Amino acid sequence: MLFDSVQFLLFLPAVIALYFILPHRLRWIFLLVSSYYFYGCWKAEFLVLLLYSTFNAYFISLRIEQAASLFTRRAWLITGLVSNFSVLFFFKYFNFFIGSRDYFKTFAGQHPKVEWVTQVLEYGIPVGISFFTFQAVGYTLDIYFRQAKAEKNFFKFALFVSYFPQLVAGPIERFTHLHQQLFAKHKLVYENLSNGFRLILYGLFIKMVIADNLAPLADPVFTNPLAYSQTDTILALLFFSLQIYADFHGYSLIAIGVAGIMGIKLMDNFKTPYLAVSVKEFWARWHISLSTWFRDYLYVPLGGNKVSYFRWMVNIMIIFLVSGIWHGANYTFIVWGALHGFMYLAEQVFVRAGWLQTKNRFFTGIGFVKTFLVINIAWLFFRSDTLAKAYLSLAKIFGSEPTADLYYRIQHFEHGKANQAVDDAFLNGKLVPAELTLHNSLFIGLAILIVTELWIQKSRFDQRISTWNFGFRWLVYAVLIYCVMALSGPDFYQFIYFQF
Amino acid sequence: MEMIKKIALRILLLIAIVAVSNVIYRHTTYHADLRAESNVLLKFERAVETADALYFSASPNAAVFKDDTDKRTIAQMMDDLLPDLKLEAVDTGGIHAGVFKKLIALIPEDSDVRYVVVNMNYRSFGIGWIESVLENPIQKQLVFYNNRPPIINRFLQGLNFYDTRSAKEREELIQWHWKNDSLPFAAPRNNVTDWCALEKWGDWTNPKRQLADSYIKNFAFPITEENPRLKDFDEIVSICHQKGLKLIFVILPENLQEAEKLVGPELTSLMISNKNKLVNRYKTNEVTVIDCFGAVPDSCFTERIFPSEHYTQTGRMTVARAVTDCINR
């Protein structure tokens, strides 16, 4: 079930009404059933994976807590991590590591078991598998590091893993933050209701009006960069940069708003990241729940910055490479992670040497421009289907003519899929030039987004607008409602982060 | 109580905002949206204001054959042959009875429209058309064809309140039906997949083999009571009945000669049997069914690499005359 669907707009009021009508002792059971229904609306068969991940974390964590020796604790932890990540690996990374799923198709008819594997893989990546796996694994690590006490009731734990507002695309919550809230007695408070609806409205606005209108502009350029001009390629990259932010931030705001109505506070996931003046700051403001997850469960256990200079640099690169791989099994994501890692280290080398301690506004401005450029170049790899296509876009952006030789060499290296339009252009000399057509209504939405971002800074939409008087507030709501109803993108674009 | 008052006031405000938004939308981007997403609704809205007869069609109404000297569409030919009647076409490529029924339901009570002429395209009953990749944009259009305030229809479109199955899912469904829908012949002609695998006209690189395949895939299917297109036509009958409109179904010509030459008499016999089922089904329901199924020879079909219902001027005139003769009677 998507947040921007009629189904959800009916589901949400029904769940909220019933949640507050039901006696407190039944509420969590109702939430659990609702959450499983919510997830089952995609493909009910994937509920098995959610259940597996939940049971795995539940069982292993109890064993870790009960273990008498460090060796046994470690053994259970490794068992838990391997068994939980193996499902993620199978569905998300298996194809990447075997080179190509088509390889297995060559066995079709000869080895029924191999055929079964290909059929399962053809089924696609279960929605939100990385999110709920990381949430469950985070819990197991909390128990191992004695940060929390294991939950004895399986069904209560199942609610923590599956709580529907943040199940499929986060924020990835910590057990210590979310679990108690789920079982606390919440009253229907008007403040929560109004703040929740503010966030839902603004979330729908940036998803439906910004992201869904930018997607059809960016997509064709990244599908065949050869057909578009340098200006169009640069515009498409900027559009994607805004699209992914609007798409993911929109989802997070709706999730926070929905939970907020029930009196449950989810962590913030974004704080105007494109206003960051360094890559380090960007990561403190972008997908915060994942950044902090990596910090707490990977970076700190690796030694963090309390190690040698060289080891610290290795730790940083590990974090960014893993973050890249978390997003998907593709060289493009690895390059995306590596670029962020290199830039982070480059900045920090200067900072550690004391060369970048200035608060000078000019240098802050330079920092903003530099960070924005770096992030956008990295997005180019993130958005491209293959490294070969990323090369085409990059060449276009920097005004050089891409060569067929290099394109095919990169494609061969990465086992990249062939692209009919690019092949036609390179091999048959058939290139149909295209250009982006921009509609005025798009700029209305973008203008509202940019002004709002500058106004919000590190705060949040609901917090800022609550200080305004009733008339102004409702004027803003009216504009947002009109945009959502009349100017949203009419085509179907799933939330980008669902695939992760 | 205080909270209920507050919420009630805000719900009223919300309704007022939606009402004002609807007015603004109608006067600003509504028509641009129709032009971009639902141009056939725009045609319908214009046609319904002036016409006595509406002609609902997909691409067969188009006149694009370069050798034609008469560039009129079927609808224009009919309009010229019916001097006492104003006939307007409501047409665009790829649409079908599922769209026509929604539009017919929108004909206002006080309109002058008396006749509704609907093309019955045999190919549109097949799974290849029902689950075509063109269906998503058509379903997206259909959201607008509801008798609701335009802003609500636009909002529902933004919420993707239509069938958004992916191309891959649709392709899987088509393949499943081709494999599992039983045809009334002995194996291997008992399903489309196996029938297509029969060696005829050489290997797959032979264009004739490819065309023969297309004929089997587009024309060999059973028409059961579950067929969604059949249900669409049933609904058209009942809507016209309720509105007191005279309904004419035109069974469009198919290239039977080419079908027999490429695939064989099994295919044409199945097509004719299916067509007869349609004629018998609707003739009993106070509908005029004009059967042009075999009325146009191979030479009058313009497409040579894919089966279609695109005709030369002679073919278009054959259909136009058949309909006008019927109306004149």
Side-chain angles (χ1 to χ4, degrees):
Chain A
M1 196 186 302
L2 296 164
F3 280 172
D4 57 339
S5 68
V6 173
Q7 208 183 358
F8 184 73
L9 294 187
L10 297 173
F11 172 83
L12 178 63
V15 168
I16 288 170
L18 277 168
Y19 177 77
F20 285 111
I21 289 168
L22 283 170
H24 173 243
R25 65 195 157 82
L26 296 178
R27 283 181 184 175
W28 71 269
I29 300 169
F30 171 68
L31 275 186
L32 178 62
V33 174
S34 305
S35 298
Y36 268 69
Y37 171 76
F38 176 86
Y39 192 75
C41 282
W42 272 285
K43 278 182 182 167
E45 23 317 13
F46 285 150
L47 283 171
V48 176
L49 298 179
L50 178 61
L51 211 55
Y52 169 81
S53 188
T54 307
F55 181 77
N56 186 291
Y58 168 79
F59 177 77
I60 296 287
S61 301
L62 282 179
R63 293 285 153 200
I64 290 172
E65 196 171 66
Q66 288 159 3
S69 68
L70 182 63
F71 175 80
T72 324
R73 284 168 65 79
R74 278 198 182 151
W76 277 116
L77 176 69
I78 291 164
T79 311
L81 296 182
V82 169
S83 53
N84 225 332
F85 281 133
S86 59
V87 177
L88 186 64
F89 176 84
F90 178 75
F91 278 95
K92 214 168 154 178
Y93 305 106
F94 191 67
N95 290 319
F96 177 68
F97 283 100
I98 61 168
S100 161
R101 103 177 35 178
D102 291 337
Y103 171 73
F104 271 78
K105 282 187 179 167
T106 57
F107 291 100
Q110 298 169 34
H111 300 285
K113 280 181 186 169
V114 174
E115 223 173 312
W116 177 83
V117 170
T118 56
Q119 276 172 13
V120 171
L121 290 172
E122 284 290 329
Y123 224 67
I125 299 169
V127 171
I129 188 167
S130 303
F131 287 92
F132 65 73
T133 303
F134 267 50
Q135 187 151 315
V137 167
Y139 164 74
T140 308
L141 288 164
D142 277 346
I143 302 302
Y144 177 79
F145 291 121
R146 295 201 169 95
Q147 299 289 317
K149 286 211 173 297
E151 170 60 64
K152 305 288 186 294
N153 184 324
F154 172 74
F155 296 102
K156 284 189 173 180
F157 177 66
L159 176 58
F160 161 71
V161 179
S162 67
Y163 181 52
F164 78 87
Q166 46 87 237
L167 169 61
V168 287
I172 303 167
E173 280 293 338
R174 307 304 168 80
F175 184 76
T176 45
H177 181 241
L178 179 62
H179 193 63
Q180 286 307 311
Q181 290 192 71
L182 291 171
F183 304 98
K185 193 170 183 175
H186 300 288
K187 281 185 179 169
L188 181 61
V189 179
Y190 182 76
E191 275 296 298
N192 291 343
L193 203 62
S194 61
N195 281 337
F197 278 108
R198 280 169 196 155
L199 288 177
I200 293 169
L201 176 61
Y202 187 61
L204 285 176
F205 166 76
I206 59 173
K207 161 64 181 159
M208 292 172 68
V209 182
I210 306 294
D212 287 355
N213 277 314
L214 290 174
L217 294 172
D219 285 357
V221 182
F222 283 100
T223 303
N224 182 14
L226 288 176
Y228 291 85
S229 66
Q230 182 186 25
T231 314
D232 280 353
T233 315
I234 294 169
L235 272 179
L237 181 57
L238 284 173
F239 287 160
F240 174 70
S241 177
L242 290 170
Q243 181 206 343
I244 192 167
Y245 172 60
D247 189 280
F248 194 16
H249 183 35
Y251 183 93
S252 298
L253 286 180
I254 299 169
I256 294 166
V258 169
I261 292 173
M262 290 184 247
I264 295 164
K265 285 190 171 67
L266 299 182
M267 69 187 295
D268 281 333
N269 226 4
F270 294 89
K271 288 186 175 171
T272 52
Y274 289 142
L275 300 180
V277 295
S278 67
V279 172
K280 184 183 181 184
E281 195 190 348
F282 174 78
W283 281 103
R285 299 164 80 150
W286 176 276
H287 202 178
I288 300 165
S289 64
L290 182 71
S291 314
T292 50
W293 196 100
F294 280 127
R295 183 196 64 200
D296 296 346
Y297 299 121
L298 191 57
Y299 180 68
V300 172
L302 283 173
N305 57 3
K306 294 184 174 60
V307 285
S308 69
Y309 198 74
F310 177 73
R311 180 64 198 275
W312 164 76
M313 289 206 280
V314 171
N315 287 349
I316 292 290
M317 282 311 291
I318 289 173
I319 300 299
F320 279 105
L321 288 173
V322 172
S323 173
I325 292 168
W326 179 89
H327 284 86
N330 198 335
Y331 287 111
T332 52
F333 293 120
I334 296 172
V335 173
W336 173 78
L339 272 175
H340 274 279
F342 281 126
M343 280 313 293
Y344 185 99
L345 284 176
E347 276 173 5
Q348 291 308 302
V349 166
F350 279 89
V351 170
R352 283 193 166 200
W355 297 335
L356 275 181
Q357 300 297 341
T358 177
K359 297 258 182 206
N360 183 306
R361 288 182 76 172
F362 175 74
F363 283 110
T364 308
I366 296 278
F368 163 74
V369 173
K370 177 262 303 170
T371 307
F372 191 71
L373 284 176
V374 167
I375 289 162
N376 273 279
I377 293 297
W379 281 139
L380 185 147
F381 287 91
F382 189 98
R383 175 58 187 83
S384 300
D385 309 334
T386 58
L387 282 182
K389 278 209 205 162
Y391 156 68
L392 298 182
S393 301
L394 212 55
K396 278 274 176 184
I397 284 175
F398 288 102
S400 72
E401 211 45 52
T403 65
D405 177 48
L406 187 52
Y407 172 79
Y408 286 112
R409 269 165 50 196
I410 300 171
Q411 194 189 59
H412 178 73
F413 160 76
E414 62 178 339
H415 299 286
K417 269 188 189 170
N419 181 282
Q420 187 68 46
V422 176
D423 288 347
D424 273 348
F426 275 142
L427 304 176
N428 309 322
K430 275 193 260 172
L431 179 66
V432 184
E435 60 180 44
L436 287 181
T437 313
L438 307 176
H439 299 287
N440 292 339
S441 56
L442 173 72
F443 296 104
I444 299 173
L446 282 178
I448 295 175
L449 175 76
I450 292 166
V451 169
T452 314
E453 289 292 295
L454 291 169
W455 170 61
I456 288 175
Q457 292 288 335
K458 285 186 180 173
S459 182
R460 219 171 52 189
F461 178 76
D462 57 324
Q463 292 156 355
R464 291 304 300 261
I465 203 161
S466 63
T467 57
W468 286 20
N469 72 37
F470 184 85
F472 279 124
R473 266 203 325 265
W474 274 85
L475 192 65
V476 173
Y477 299 157
V479 172
L480 293 181
I481 289 169
Y482 179 80
C483 288
V484 167
M485 294 190 85
L487 302 178
S488 54
D491 291 304
F492 176 65
Y493 288 98
Q494 210 172 49
F495 285 95
I496 294 172
Y497 265 71
F498 277 16
Q499 61 185 300
F500 307 136
Chain B
M1 196 58 198
E2 188 63 25
M3 196 194 293
I4 292 170
K5 265 191 201 167
K6 273 184 165 180
I7 293 171
L9 173 72
R10 277 145 185 86
I11 289 172
L12 287 175
L13 254 172
L14 208 61
I15 293 168
I17 289 171
V18 173
V20 173
S21 296
N22 188 46
V23 175
I24 298 171
Y25 177 60
R26 275 202 85 108
H27 290 91
T28 53
T29 47
Y30 174 56
H31 283 94
D33 282 346
L34 289 188
R35 271 194 299 278
E37 307 286 351
S38 316
N39 65 340
V40 74
L41 181 61
L42 210 57
K43 273 189 184 175
F44 170 81
E45 285 184 347
R46 285 172 189 157
V48 86
E49 284 175 10
T50 55
D52 306 305
L54 295 178
Y55 176 57
F56 291 91
S57 175
S59 58
N61 189 43
V64 287
F65 188 49
K66 62 177 171 36
D67 294 342
D68 281 346
T69 49
D70 184 350
K71 299 287 184 189
R72 288 177 301 164
T73 63
I74 296 174
Q76 286 164 342
M77 288 171 171
M78 286 196 289
D79 190 46
D80 292 345
L81 291 167
L82 295 165
D84 301 331
L85 215 60
K86 175 78 184 144
L87 185 138
E88 290 274 5
V90 180
D91 67 327
T92 196
I95 57 172
H96 48 69
V99 180
F100 304 151
K101 74 174 180 194
K102 291 268 188 183
L103 292 170
I104 295 167
L106 293 177
I107 296 175
E109 296 290 318
D110 58 351
S111 106
D112 292 335
V113 175
R114 282 175 287 148
Y115 292 94
V116 169
V117 184
V118 179
N119 275 351
M120 189 178 261
N121 189 330
Y122 172 81
R123 201 156 53 93
S124 75
F125 288 84
I127 194 69
W129 188 319
I130 291 168
E131 293 298 342
S132 148
V133 284
L134 293 176
E135 197 53 25
N136 278 21
I138 290 173
Q139 291 295 324
K140 190 170 75 174
Q141 287 184 35
L142 282 180
V143 182
F144 266 115
Y145 304 170
N146 287 295
N147 216 352
R148 291 183 288 246
I151 190 103
I152 301 291
N153 285 334
R154 181 64 179 80
F155 182 44
L156 291 174
Q157 205 183 50
L159 290 171
N160 308 121
F161 189 49
Y162 54 86
D163 186 353
T164 54
R165 266 174 300 172
S166 66
K168 189 183 166 204
E169 285 172 304
R170 290 189 184 279
E171 179 60 26
E172 281 169 3
L173 261 173
I174 291 172
Q175 295 292 345
W176 188 91
H177 279 279
W178 281 344
K179 183 72 194 162
N180 293 290
D181 285 355
S182 290
L183 300 174
F185 304 114
R189 291 183 174 83
N190 57 340
N191 66 64
V192 169
T193 310
D194 293 346
W195 195 348
C196 283
L198 269 177
E199 194 69 31
K200 194 174 182 185
W201 306 109
D203 68 9
W204 295 101
T205 55
N206 187 332
K208 276 202 170 180
R209 170 72 182 264
Q210 292 172 18
L211 191 57
D213 254 35
S214 294
Y215 267 79
I216 298 169
K217 284 170 177 164
N218 281 281
F219 294 132
F221 47 80
I223 300 182
T224 63
E225 284 300 312
E226 280 70 46
N227 188 299
R229 206 63 81 223
L230 201 66
K231 291 177 183 169
D232 291 335
F233 279 104
D234 287 351
E235 278 186 63
I236 290 175
V237 173
S238 95
I239 294 165
C240 286
H241 190 69
Q242 280 168 20
K243 289 183 174 269
L245 297 165
K246 175 79 183 134
L247 178 62
I248 299 167
F249 283 150
V250 185
I251 299 186
L252 288 174
E254 297 294 357
N255 196 341
L256 295 173
Q257 288 175 349
E258 183 82 331
E260 180 149 348
K261 200 170 73 187
L262 282 167
V263 185
E266 294 93 346
L267 180 61
T268 45
S269 70
L270 175 65
M271 290 167 72
I272 291 166
S273 143
N274 277 338
K275 182 267 297 178
N276 288 340
K277 256 191 223 170
L278 296 173
V279 174
N280 295 333
R281 182 186 186 90
Y282 293 110
K283 265 203 168 154
T284 56
N285 274 314
E286 299 167 0
V287 182
T288 306
V289 181
I290 301 171
D291 181 0
C292 301
F293 201 54
V296 171
D298 176 46
S299 58
C300 291
F301 286 86
T302 61
E303 303 274 356
R304 308 318 300 182
I305 55 164
F306 192 80
S308 79
E309 297 71 29
H310 298 162
Y311 317 110
T312 60
Q313 62 187 62
T314 318
R316 294 198 300 277
M317 185 52 87
T318 307
V319 177
R321 278 203 192 285
V323 179
T324 50
D325 287 351
C326 168
I327 292 176
N328 284 331
R329 274 202 302 274

